[in-house]
């Protein structure tokens, strides 16, 4: 079977590579308003033979399911950077195939991020019959403001130690939230045309909450016209927290010094 090879080394600071067995999505909240993935994909709509010739229309790519098994060197893989695996129009049978692929190529760490947290909770509970999710499959939710904290409750209800939250783009203050049991938090401002600014105190407050709740804190960017426009220093420091304690030992050993 021919495998479409479109995944690549990622420029996202907190992962190594991206893998997109699903592309395209629809908007469900303010964090989606200036979606970078939509902006990128729509540039290529109608371009013959381009992976995004269909723009940002939801598209399943069965030909990409075997791709992780072809990568022999372990890596951190961001799953569906250009979509949401738990979109309501992604058939459960296809989600099963994505999880089958992740379980098969278990020498990688997979970072699965969603805004559709209730659907993720229901799916993984059914798939593992309430038992633990494999440790190399990390499950995360995006939370852009205090109005979407229910996503964290759904995440914490999942039987896993490998939970993470992306507070990006952070569009408002989150004064207090209990994130005990979450391994990792990523905070960042919005980038691209029309980027909405992030107040420094919003990032500082989340840093303090992470310190209180023993959560690794990663400050990704201030954002602006471009992702790196504002740099990534918070109070004069880089914050590169990472939850090494949840990386399976076999994977940690193989990653070596470059990730230690």
């Amino acid at each position: 079977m021919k495998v479409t090879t479109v995944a690549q080394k990622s420029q996202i600071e907190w992962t190594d590579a991206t893998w997109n067995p699903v592309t395209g999505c629809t908007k469900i909240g303010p964090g989606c308003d200036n979606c970078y993935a939509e902006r990128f994909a729509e540039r290529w709509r109608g371009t013959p033979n381009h992976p995004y010739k269909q723009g940002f229309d939801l598209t399943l790519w069965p030909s990409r399911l075997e791709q992780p098994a072809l990568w022999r060197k372990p890596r951190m893989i961001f799953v569906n950077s250009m979509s949401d695996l738990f979109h309501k129009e992604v058939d459960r049978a296809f989600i099963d195939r994505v999880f089958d692929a992740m379980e098969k190529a278990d020498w990688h760490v997979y970072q699965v991020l969603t805004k559709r947290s209730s659907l993720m909770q229901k799916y993984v509970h059914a798939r593992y019959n309430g038992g633990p999710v494999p440790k190399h499959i990390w499950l995360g939710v995006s939370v852009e403001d205090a109005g979407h904290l229910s996503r964290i409750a759904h995440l914490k209800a999942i039987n896993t130690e490998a939970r993470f939250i992306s507070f990006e783009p952070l569009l408002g203050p989150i004064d207090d939230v209990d994130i005990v049991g979450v391994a990792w938090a990523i905070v960042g401002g919005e980038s691209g045309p029309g980027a909405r600014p992030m107040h420094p105190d919003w990032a500082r407050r989340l840093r303090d909450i992470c310190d209180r709740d023993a959560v690794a804190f990663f400050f990704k960017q201030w954002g602006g016209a471009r992702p790196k426009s504002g740099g990534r220093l918070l109070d004069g420091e880089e914050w590169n927290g990472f939850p090494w304690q949840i990386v399976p030992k076999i994977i940690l050993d193989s990653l070596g010094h470059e990730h230690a």
Side-chain angles (χ1 to χ4, degrees), residues 27-49:
K27 298 179 179 182
I28 62 168
C32 301
D33 289 348
N34 296 323
C35 177
Y36 77 90
E38 178 187 44
R39 187 168 63 249
F40 174 84
E42 287 298 330
R43 289 174 54 195
W44 307 103
R45 182 180 287 276
T47 303
N49 301 317

Side-chain angles (χ1 to χ4, degrees), residues 13 28 57 83 121 150 168-169 177 214 224 241:
E13 290 85 347
I28 62 168
D57 296 345
S83 186
Q121 179 192 348
S150 61
E168 184 191 7
V177 60

Side-chain angles (χ1 to χ4, degrees), residues 1-7 18-21 51 61-71 97 101 104:
M1 179 180 67
K2 181 180 180 181
V3 177
T4 304
T5 306
V6 296
T18 57
W19 172 49
N20 283 283
W61 298 89
S63 62
R64 300 178 184 175
L65 290 170
E66 293 299 317
Q67 191 168 40
L70 301 178
W71 297 338
R97 295 178 68 186
K104 175 183 176 182

Side-chain angles (χ1 to χ4, degrees), residues 11 132 226:
Q11 296 182 1
R226 295 177 177 83

